[in-house]
Amino acid sequence: MSELADIGMVGLGVMGANLALNLAEKGFRVAIYDRGQANRAALASGAFGTSFIDCATEDALLEAIRPPRALVLLVPAGTATDTALSALAGKASSGDLLIDAGNSDFHDTRRRTVELEALGLAFLGIGVSGGAEGARNGPAMMAGGSRAVWDRVAPMLTAIAARHVDEPCVAWLGPDGAGHFVKTVHNGIEYADMQMIAEVYGLMRDGLGWNDVQSAGTFQDWAQGPLASYLVEITAEVAGATDPSTSLPMLDVIADKAGQKGTGRWSVIEAQKLGAVASTIEAAVGARNLSAATALRDALATPATAPFGLDGTTLHQALHAGKVIAYAQGFGLLARASEEYDWDLALADIARVWRAGCIIRSTMLDDIAMAFEARPNTSLLTAPAFRDRLTTTLPALRQTVAAAALAGLPTPALASALAYVDQLARPRGTANMLQGLRDYFGQHGFERTDREGSGFHGPWVG
Ligand code: 6PG
């Protein structure tokens, strides 16, 4: 046998194959295993072929890796990951390390940590972001598990990570499911960010009467300045693209019906369970669901709505405000989960990891990292730099949501962002009425403004 491999890669779909190539390019020897012989052959006969050990069976894979072994699994989340992990766990030796780099539910990661550690194996759950291009040239990676176990593979994973200036976008973030939870919230923010972009595109098209070329040019301009981000850059590309088969604008031939794999929904479910508010993400998930309700949409379709007179600058500021609020909610959810699960998440580190390689990379994350560095564990909305941003941009968000509502144009994520800050800004809200009603019909009791204690009742309780 030739020299043993530094690491094994299980699952050579788009993400696994590209991560294997990335590792090989950085000088690591990789044992590759996939049930599909064609996937293995493609790597073994390709550019870095000599860096791979092509393994036809799990036994061959384990034999090919230097002990104590490290194996990265990139297989579909859920049952397929459980099946792959238990097959390897049955053959691995004590001290071997299994790394789940898929988009797993962090509850599964917590369970698997306990199960695999009980077998004497080490386990890490790592969220990987950046799609195929990121996997090949540098993804952002969010690691969860034991710190000592992370240290064993940190040099290899740091070598293949994306870099922001010179800093690698990879970090150990906390124990057990911390990495996968952070990746889930990354995706939740991705959903909110994309939904707000789509809403603004809709306002350009249906409110301002712009064609796709005008929108593309505007998003291209917005890719510089405070909204500079990968998602705004690719929005310009998508809006400006032409369908090769019809020569129509690409957006005219893409069906208005969004899919999802579930991580956005998980963010919302976890936020609800933790009593955190992620209303912008919830609006984004809901908007995707409603987009797919084609029969109901057909039944309720009405003619085009009234145009409105907002300008591009107002929309830019509205998107800026919405994005700040979506980030504030995402980081708020991370802080709440950190408390609940004792993860001690460093929000500044998370913002730093997201600055390059991942889908939500944006210049704003640099400022977010600095804000959390200066004031850990506070809402982003209270950080002076972000308060200033909102003071400047909130009036435009309000104008945009109001004008859209009057024109009958839906802006669920932008409107929920506005409602979130408006509720926070009201010193006296309306929960007193809720408490009164709860007490009236259920004698649930309330606190009073003029006395200490709880469990007070109104005159309706006899
Ligand atoms: C990433 C992406 C990636 C993927 C998600 C979202 O960070 O590289 O988030 O994980 O795009 O699966 O997909 P859906 O929109 O289908 O839920």
Side-chain angles (χ1 to χ4, degrees):
M1 155 86 60
S2 57
E3 193 193 333
L4 290 177
D6 301 296
I7 193 162
M9 182 67 66
V10 178
L12 303 174
V14 175
M15 293 297 284
N18 280 298
L19 273 185
L21 284 167
N22 190 350
L23 280 160
E25 189 180 44
K26 302 297 177 313
F28 299 105
R29 192 155 171 75
V30 189
I32 51 172
Y33 172 70
D34 189 293
R35 289 218 203 110
Q37 198 271 336
N39 286 349
R40 301 199 317 266
L43 280 184
S45 61
F48 296 96
T50 54
S51 300
F52 297 120
I53 305 176
D54 180 0
C55 305
T57 63
E58 283 150 349
D59 290 311
L61 173 73
L62 289 165
E63 255 178 54
I65 306 166
R66 187 178 313 115
R69 305 174 181 94
L71 293 107
V72 178
L73 285 84
L74 257 160
V75 294
T79 318
T81 299
D82 275 321
T83 307
L85 282 172
S86 59
L88 288 165
K91 296 169 187 284
S93 311
S94 174
D96 283 352
L97 164 59
L98 302 179
I99 301 171
D100 172 17
N103 260 338
S104 287
D105 183 334
F106 84 106
H107 291 296
D108 286 339
T109 307
R110 283 165 69 78
R111 168 180 56 79
R112 290 167 183 154
T113 303
V114 173
E115 290 170 357
L116 293 165
E117 286 181 356
L119 297 173
L121 298 172
F123 181 61
L124 293 173
I126 302 190
V128 178
S129 178
E133 203 274 328
R136 176 66 187 85
N137 297 313
M141 287 179 282
M142 297 140 247
S146 133
R147 175 74 212 221
V149 169
W150 163 249
D151 289 341
R152 280 171 56 183
V153 283
M156 264 189 285
L157 297 184
T158 303
I160 63 165
R163 280 180 159 60
H164 174 78
V165 192
D166 272 339
E167 285 179 64
C169 290
V170 56
W172 173 84
L173 298 171
D176 56 74
H180 276 139
F181 188 85
V182 172
K183 176 60 178 27
T184 297
V185 175
H186 163 283
N187 283 26
I189 296 173
E190 174 185 304
Y191 272 54
D193 206 344
M194 286 165 61
Q195 175 63 27
M196 289 179 185
I197 288 173
E199 289 172 14
V200 167
Y201 147 75
L203 297 178
M204 290 171 175
R205 186 188 65 191
D206 302 331
L208 299 177
W210 291 5
N211 63 32
D212 291 343
V213 175
Q214 283 171 288
S215 301
T218 301
F219 280 112
Q220 206 170 14
D221 292 344
W222 293 3
Q224 314 297 322
L227 288 182
S229 60
Y230 172 70
L231 283 172
V232 168
E233 274 168 36
I234 65 170
T235 300
E237 304 242 343
V238 169
T242 302
D243 175 33
S245 62
T246 59
S247 301
L248 289 168
M250 200 63 228
L251 283 171
D252 285 3
V253 298
I254 300 179
D256 167 26
K257 188 174 143 188
Q260 56 191 307
K261 294 202 196 75
T263 41
R265 188 186 306 136
W266 292 348
S267 295
V268 175
I269 292 170
E270 296 309 326
Q272 293 287 0
K273 285 188 190 162
L274 291 164
V277 179
S279 54
T280 55
I281 305 174
E282 192 168 347
V285 175
R288 288 197 196 190
N289 294 342
L290 211 49
S291 78
T294 39
L296 185 59
R297 290 178 61 197
D298 286 346
L300 297 177
T302 51
T305 47
F308 61 52
L310 297 180
D311 56 18
T313 308
T314 307
L315 294 182
H316 180 266
Q317 291 192 348
L319 188 54
H320 187 169
K323 191 177 167 100
V324 168
I325 295 161
Y327 272 101
Q329 291 186 347
F331 278 98
L333 172 54
L334 289 171
R336 179 67 200 95
S338 177
E339 228 171 55
E340 182 72 19
Y341 296 105
D342 257 337
W343 283 334
D344 204 14
L345 293 178
L347 301 184
D349 287 352
I350 295 170
R352 272 193 284 270
V353 165
W354 288 348
R355 287 178 305 178
C358 70
I359 303 296
I360 63 169
R361 59 189 185 259
S362 68
T363 52
M364 194 185 285
L365 281 159
D366 223 4
D367 297 338
I368 294 177
M370 281 192 275
F372 285 128
E373 191 72 54
R375 306 163 77 252
N377 304 322
T378 50
S379 167
L380 194 59
L381 298 184
T382 63
F386 285 89
R387 281 187 93 121
D388 290 351
R389 280 179 190 247
L390 275 193
T391 305
T392 315
T393 57
L394 202 60
L397 178 62
R398 192 177 302 290
Q399 258 183 296
T400 301
V401 169
L406 289 172
L409 298 172
T411 56
L414 291 170
S416 69
L418 180 63
Y420 178 77
V421 285
D422 277 348
Q423 186 177 353
L424 286 173
R426 293 275 57 77
R428 183 139 170 84
T430 54
N432 52 340
M433 174 58 88
L434 300 179
Q435 289 298 78
L437 295 171
R438 290 178 67 240
D439 189 56
Y440 190 103
F441 64 68
Q443 300 184 19
H444 293 293
F446 49 74
E447 293 175 28
R448 295 182 59 105
T449 54
D450 56 352
R451 287 178 224 165
E452 289 297 310
S454 58
F456 294 103
H457 296 289
W460 45 76
V461 174

